[in-house]
Amino acid sequence: MVDISIETEAQTAQRLRRVIAEADLDVHDGVWCFRESPLAEPPQLTPRTLAVVRDAESWSALVPFAEAEGAEVEKFGLFSFHFPAGLDNSGFVGWLAGHLKRALGTGVFVVCGSNRDRGGIYDYWGCPVELLAAVEREIEALRTAES
């Protein structure tokens, strides 16, 4: 699932341009946020809960904004990648995150999972909701660029 690649920066960029072109990209509808709850109160999972993670003090569930309660929360747009089996995608997160920061000035968050029936590792990416369309254009440009 995690490859080790010894290559130059240029070779890595060329390989990862092929990876992004071959990956299944989904841009998810709606606005998303993290709903937090105390450690003693785990979140209720719903079919729309995309991820749940915790630290030593609280739970954090990635959910549609409409399901968020209470205080002001950061609002995100989401997109995801599923990678074909056997494709070396090592370094992809750092490469794309760095590219988006340089191109658009935005940071991102990434939540990874695994589905062996769809090739293994997949990534959910979040960016400020107001930049989602620009991020999508930037990704499409990378996907269609000559490698």
Side-chain angles (χ1 to χ4, degrees):
M1 286 196 330
V2 178
D3 292 296
I4 299 171
S5 305
I6 307 299
E7 57 199 358
T8 67
E9 189 174 330
Q11 289 168 324
T12 299
Q14 183 176 23
R15 177 177 52 80
L16 293 175
R17 282 193 301 273
R18 282 192 308 270
V19 167
I20 201 169
E22 292 182 36
D24 290 334
L25 169 67
D26 290 311
V27 178
H28 300 274
D29 291 332
V31 178
W32 298 80
C33 67
F34 287 102
R35 182 176 55 215
E36 297 177 20
S37 61
L39 194 58
E41 299 171 26
Q44 194 71 22
L45 298 181
T46 73
R48 302 269 296 155
T49 304
L50 290 184
V52 176
V53 65
R54 57 161 269 206
D55 63 12
E57 300 170 359
S58 66
W59 291 96
S60 185
L62 181 58
V63 297
F65 176 69
E67 294 178 17
E69 300 171 5
E72 185 89 14
V73 294
E74 233 178 321
K75 298 175 185 100
F76 299 102
L78 286 187
F79 53 101
S80 61
F81 295 99
H82 276 81
F83 303 99
L87 190 64
D88 178 0
N89 64 353
S90 60
F92 182 80
V93 169
W95 173 77
L96 183 56
H99 179 88
L100 294 175
K101 181 64 176 172
R102 287 186 302 278
L104 302 173
T106 187
V108 295
F109 72 81
V110 181
V111 179
C112 301
S114 178
N115 179 345
R116 287 178 294 217
D117 290 340
R118 285 194 67 189
I121 298 292
Y122 60 87
D123 303 335
Y124 278 102
W125 292 65
C127 66
V129 68
E130 60 271 13
L131 287 182
L132 182 60
V135 166
E136 185 177 5
R137 285 190 301 273
E138 196 64 33
I139 290 170
E140 286 302 327
L142 288 170
R143 288 167 62 85
T144 58
E146 291 291 320
S147 45

